[in-house]
Amino acid sequence: MHQPDPHHTIPGNLAPHIPADLYRQLDGRPVVIIQPPAPAPTRSLAKWAVPLAIGLAGAAGVLGLVAAAVAVFDYAARTAAFIGSTTGPIGLGLSLKLFSSKNK
């Protein structure tokens, strides 16, 4: 079986656009092939949307945690104010007696 000469064969698919008769005319002389660069790959909408959705979901989660903490703090403050207002003067007198200084 005939083995092709490595000096007269095109390795791989480097220059499929050169016609065979032109390639044979070259007979081993150097050739300069100008090939335009491939266009830069563009990012599709899905590649942008997924990280954006994950970031927005994380931000919404943190915002929800902050809102819940503020709601619990507000509820506690209103409850303390309600309990303090319902005890009236008795609660005020008891508080003053309990928290007064013992070192007079």
Side-chain angles (χ1 to χ4, degrees):
M1 179 172 201
H2 179 265
Q3 291 290 345
D5 185 11
H7 297 289
H8 294 300
T9 57
I10 301 173
N13 262 344
L14 291 179
H17 57 281
I18 297 176
D21 58 341
L22 179 61
Y23 182 74
R24 286 188 192 102
Q25 288 176 3
L26 294 174
D27 194 34
R29 292 181 292 193
V31 179
V32 176
I33 299 171
I34 299 173
Q35 190 173 11
T42 58
R43 293 190 71 167
S44 66
L45 181 62
K47 288 187 178 183
W48 288 104
V50 170
L52 182 65
I54 291 172
L56 288 175
V62 170
L63 186 64
L65 286 173
V66 170
V70 167
V72 167
F73 180 74
D74 182 53
Y75 181 73
R78 287 178 188 268
T79 302
F82 175 72
I83 291 172
S85 68
T86 56
T87 58
I90 295 172
L92 182 62
L94 186 61
S95 295
L96 289 175
K97 189 170 186 171
L98 286 174
F99 297 112
S100 64
S101 174
K102 307 285 191 229
N103 301 328
K104 286 186 181 183

